[in-house]
Amino acid sequence: MRYYCGEERHLAGGFGRFFLADTEKSLSKLKKSYKNSIQLIYLDPPFGTGDTFSMKLGKGQRAVKIPLYQDQMPRDEYLQWMRSILKACHEMLAPSGSLYLHIDYRMHAHLKLLLDDIFSEDNFMNEIIWSYKSGGRSTRYFPRKHDVILFYRKSRKVYFDIRAVGKPRGAERRNHMKRFVDEDGRVGFSIRSNGKLYKYYEDSLIFPTDVWDDIEHLQQKDKERLGYATQKPEALLQRIILSSSKEGDTVMDLFSGSGTTAAVASKLNRRFVAVDASPVSLYTIRKRLLSLGSLIDLSGTASTELTLSYPKDMCEAELDFEIIKRGAHRFASVKSLNLNGAGSPPVYAAIGTVKGNCFYPVETNCHPRLPIKLQLPRDGEAVIHLVDSYGHQLFWGVD
């Protein structure tokens, strides 16, 4: 028996919700649900590159190249699109909230003017330069090795804690300072200037400026890299989230991509709302968040609930499986999945139960290989959930 679910809920992976949806089309619903309640919004939209981005899923002969998104919108259309998104962000932010817009030289100046108009120039906080060394080296002009992150507040009530991202000064001697040890055993350095004595301790904090050259772009063999084009490093989002939100606050990302914002928010005990139009984003964020394992929720009393929402999938599909009994346990062994008469190896598998529109998994497999063996739950009708490379969400009841 086929089921048609539009949601799944996991008791692990984070304090948040992912929506598989077109960002602009989801704004009306999001504004109703989150008006004046989001503490921090990070946006990493298309940069206006004119490129088409894709990701390879699977290995060897089974590898499939899946499109992610096309960054080919005409400039006027792009700016109108971004205006509607930024206006919605302003409505969703709490009075103490802030927005970080990640962009590069192509649309930087245009979006700065849009933000001045929507948020007002008085609420501009910083133009952050993220400088990195990776990529090619042009000889036709100075190599372009930085992105811009525009930082705006909702109001003067903004929450910002630079101490949360400070780092100890350390033992490095600076500006010909003299090393000393005070009566409490603290090591420091001193310098006299214009008749005044200045002291700095090794354990005192140094804060980042608006030029971030200490966070590197992800390299090809970086352990953090997931193969998702335009993926940002966790260190970048960690600095943003720590400085502009507190534990328990809600962080939003309307271009979720590889799920870096959601993953870092979960690790830092924040809630998150993430949106992306690509099924590959859903596949990547599910795999990434479930790998974090079970976490304690914000009340400290139970497991978390990660909710993934997507359109119901009505495509024609056939599943070949058998029930295997081993002692007191029963297993579903999935032999093959076929869509429209063609084999379609799953990239994700789970078994659980269905209530209404929602699937509740009790066992998941983010690296399935046929045949897939899944243990049937003891209570309720068992339902198998399979996802193929193209993002089809397929559910079957097990008789």
Side-chain angles (χ1 to χ4, degrees), residues 40-57:
L40 168 64
I41 298 177
Y42 170 79
L43 298 180
D44 182 16
F47 284 10
T49 63
D51 296 330
T52 297
F53 294 89
S54 61
M55 179 175 174
K56 185 182 291 185
L57 294 183

Side-chain angles (χ1 to χ4, degrees), residues 337-345:
L337 171 65
N338 291 280
L339 277 76
N340 300 318
S344 185

Side-chain angles (χ1 to χ4, degrees), residues 15 85 107 110 211 311 334 336 338 363:
F15 316 103
I85 292 169
M107 294 294 179
H110 301 284
V211 177
V334 177
S336 66
N338 291 280
E363 180 186 349

